[in-house]
Amino acid sequence: MLRHRLLLLGMKETDDFEKADFVLFNTCAIRENAENHLYGELGRVKGIALKKPDLFVAVCGCVMQEEKPVRYILDHFGFISLVFGTNNIDAFYDLLEESLKAKGLYVDVRSAPEAIVETEGDDTAGRQSRITAFVDIAYGCDKFCTYCIVPYTRGKERSRKKEDIVREVLMLKEKGYRQVTLLGQNVDSYGKDFGDNYAFADLLDAVAGTGIDRIRFTTPYPSDFNEKVFDVMAKHPNVMPSLHLPVQSGSDIVLKRMNRRYTRKQYLDIVHALRERLPDVYLTTDIIVGFPGETEEDFLDTLSLCEECRYDGAFTFIFSPRPGTPASRMKDDTPDEVKHERFERLKTLIDSLSEESAKKMVGTIQEVLFEDVSKRDTGMISGYDRHGKLVHVKGDLSLVGQTRKVRIVESHTYSLIGVIDD
Ligand code: SAH
Ligand code: SF4
């Protein structure tokens, strides 16, 4: 959204810090390494700012909602012009104006979220490319998983009005976008704050009704997941057959300590219902290893759950204590080596499941929406099949924006190689 708004102001992007007149850091606080990365990048810019006194540097996002890092940044990086958080992001243009007037450092971090501001004709969606875009459907989170900083940095859950979401998708479609990804921390609790019965399944149905080519969504929360969503997925061919359903752990004891509001069995029941109803759906997840007090037995429960779900892919993380969260104060006596060793064992299993899933695709025909030149090989063009699997084919830029039938000829853990077959 912010990148797009800067482009609307007439700015041009550069990959080269040295050339930039304006630098904006949008920060993530979800794990400690993201925060450390920010300090490293600010250090790099510091050298440039010394040579270029007019350089405008702004820092925003989740890290700015935390007291300590903001103090650290202000003490160590005096060249910054603007600091704002997640709660007043809608007022970005006003913030820019105020900070230009202030001519020194301008800080505006709000502890509570403002009401969602929608401007007629405003184009707020995050753009991935000219072809695919992110559309926010809800902000914030009320779940308070004990390891997670999001409820503190993003505030309480607020849903955008369905008319605004549908209007935005229609506008994107008109502009030639082919895919939207609906975004929320818990998409399936969409609309709970409206107090009527309008739910995520209804919204998905309405967005599918716009006729845009491809719709994806992330992230559903298992215990809020309503099987009505399966019906909508089955009904509309433009809702893509993939589901990212974070499980975090396969152990009931750990799930409870994480304050995840489902049991292993409830999660598996959803997965079995999914596989039965929509056998073609590609299932992925998020898993945390080394949560405080996780035993070998708990970890084995996670491995066995992965085997049972036969995930097509997963994001795996080592627990990172976040300041102010309950889990950061829990007793954690698992040595780091043990956590890393578990992480590697999990990764080996996930990679073998992903490879197995990719191998099954060889010889099949998949519909691929091409997005860009391959990052690995400039003679190849990359896109995604309907399941969300990355596919590379030999070709030129004229393929970008097209959906073509592709015969898969080779599989790797994270991608497929194919040839056009239509
Ligand atoms: N709202 C989504 C995910 C948000 S964060 C959900 O509930 O699933 C994305 C992922 O980051 C989470 O699913 C979790 O696996 C991981 N994560 C969040 N906090 C973490 C922490 N403190 N340490 C390690 N991983 C974490
Ligand atoms: Fe964090 Fe997701 Fe839990 Fe919300 S539901 S607290 S965003 S992990």
Side-chain angles (χ1 to χ4, degrees), residues 30-31 141 145 147-150 184-186 219-221 244 246 248 260 286-288 315 317-322:
I30 198 89
R31 283 171 293 275
C141 179
C145 301
Y147 51 82
C148 185
I149 201 163
V150 169
Q185 293 300 342
N186 306 295
T219 317
Y221 185 91
H244 183 70
Q248 314 300 357
R260 298 290 287 187
D286 290 346
I287 300 166
I288 297 177
F315 294 113
F317 309 101
I318 292 184
F319 168 71
S320 168
R322 305 312 294 128

Side-chain angles (χ1 to χ4, degrees), residues 312 350-360 411-413:
D312 297 283
I350 295 294
D351 282 353
S352 80
L353 292 173
S354 308
E355 265 162 46
E356 200 181 301
S357 148
K359 245 189 219 143
K360 277 197 266 171
S411 71
H412 299 274
T413 314

Side-chain angles (χ1 to χ4, degrees), residues 296-317:
E296 174 66 14
E297 206 185 333
D298 294 324
F299 176 67
L300 290 175
D301 283 345
T302 297
L303 292 185
S304 69
L305 178 129
C306 292
E307 301 251 21
E308 195 166 341
C309 291
R310 310 233 57 90
Y311 289 118
D312 297 283
F315 294 113
T316 48
F317 309 101

Side-chain angles (χ1 to χ4, degrees), residues 31 74 82 105 162 179-180 188-190 220 223 229 236 241 254 257 261 264 322 326 338 346 353 396:
R31 283 171 293 275
L74 298 186
L82 169 64
L105 169 66
K162 69 159 194 257
Q179 174 180 297
V180 289
D188 39 9
S189 50
Y190 173 81
S223 57
V229 176
H236 295 285
V254 174
R257 273 209 305 274
R261 300 153 194 218
R264 173 190 174 97
R322 305 312 294 128
V338 174
L346 175 65
L353 292 173
D396 58 47

